[in-house]
Amino acid sequence: MSKKTTNKTSPAAKTAKVTKPTVQVKKDAKGRFWLVAKEGGDERGPFATKKEALDAQAGAAAPEAKATKPAKKEKAPKEKKVSAIDAAAQVLASAKAPMNAKEMIEVMAAKALWTSPGGKTPHATLYSAIIREIALKGKESRFVKQERGKFAAK
């Protein structure tokens, strides 16, 4: 069994009157737009565009009268932390002899250039980063592999 649907309007909808705008937008000979009341003939305007006239008719504020947002507070730029590989380049530049990754990590910590964020093998990570830079940049790398496991600054 199917239900029959009907389009019945509610009693409140029958009694509600639809109000039509009592103002029209008209264009004069100079190309300006005016709001003209249907009853009484009052005019408001001129408006440069039809959109401005319609906005005024709807009661919207003119674009010039819009409130501007307050400026965002500028945050002071945070001091960038030196990465492990950048700190290693500084350590090797000041060192006279080639160093391995463990030695570089110890010197970086002693000079407070870089500290491990809690990793168990920062020396392995540094070694890998240096090898990767040498492989990718080639002659333009900051590091040179001197002997097995030891690097020097270029």
Side-chain angles (χ1 to χ4, degrees):
M1 294 185 162
S2 63
K3 287 187 175 182
K4 236 183 190 180
T5 58
T6 58
N7 287 337
K8 291 185 178 181
T9 56
S10 67
K14 288 181 182 178
T15 58
K17 291 184 179 180
V18 177
T19 58
K20 292 185 179 179
T22 57
V23 180
Q24 289 182 328
V25 177
K26 293 196 175 186
K27 189 175 183 180
D28 66 5
K30 294 183 179 179
R32 297 176 297 183
F33 293 92
W34 294 81
L35 288 177
V36 180
K38 287 184 180 178
E39 300 167 9
D42 293 336
E43 292 184 350
R44 284 193 310 164
F47 297 98
T49 63
K50 188 172 184 178
K51 183 178 181 334
E52 286 180 15
L54 292 173
D55 287 346
Q57 176 184 355
E64 302 84 50
K66 283 185 180 177
T68 58
K69 291 182 181 178
K72 290 184 178 180
K73 293 180 183 176
E74 290 189 29
K75 294 180 181 177
K78 292 183 180 178
E79 189 176 316
K80 269 193 159 182
K81 292 182 179 179
V82 178
S83 68
I85 195 162
D86 292 336
Q90 290 177 13
V91 167
L92 286 175
S94 64
K96 294 179 181 169
M99 300 172 81
N100 65 24
K102 275 192 179 184
E103 293 169 347
M104 285 186 268
I105 294 290
E106 290 169 4
V107 173
M108 289 188 300
K111 290 184 176 181
L113 291 174
W114 181 84
T115 56
S116 175
K120 293 181 180 178
T121 56
H123 59 278
T125 305
L126 178 61
Y127 180 87
S128 174
I130 293 172
I131 291 294
R132 207 173 329 120
E133 183 172 317
I134 291 171
L136 290 174
K137 294 184 178 178
K139 292 182 180 181
E140 296 170 4
S141 173
R142 298 176 281 181
F143 306 97
V144 176
K145 190 168 185 179
Q146 291 290 324
E147 53 188 272
R148 185 175 177 192
K150 295 207 175 192
F151 302 96
K154 200 165 197 183

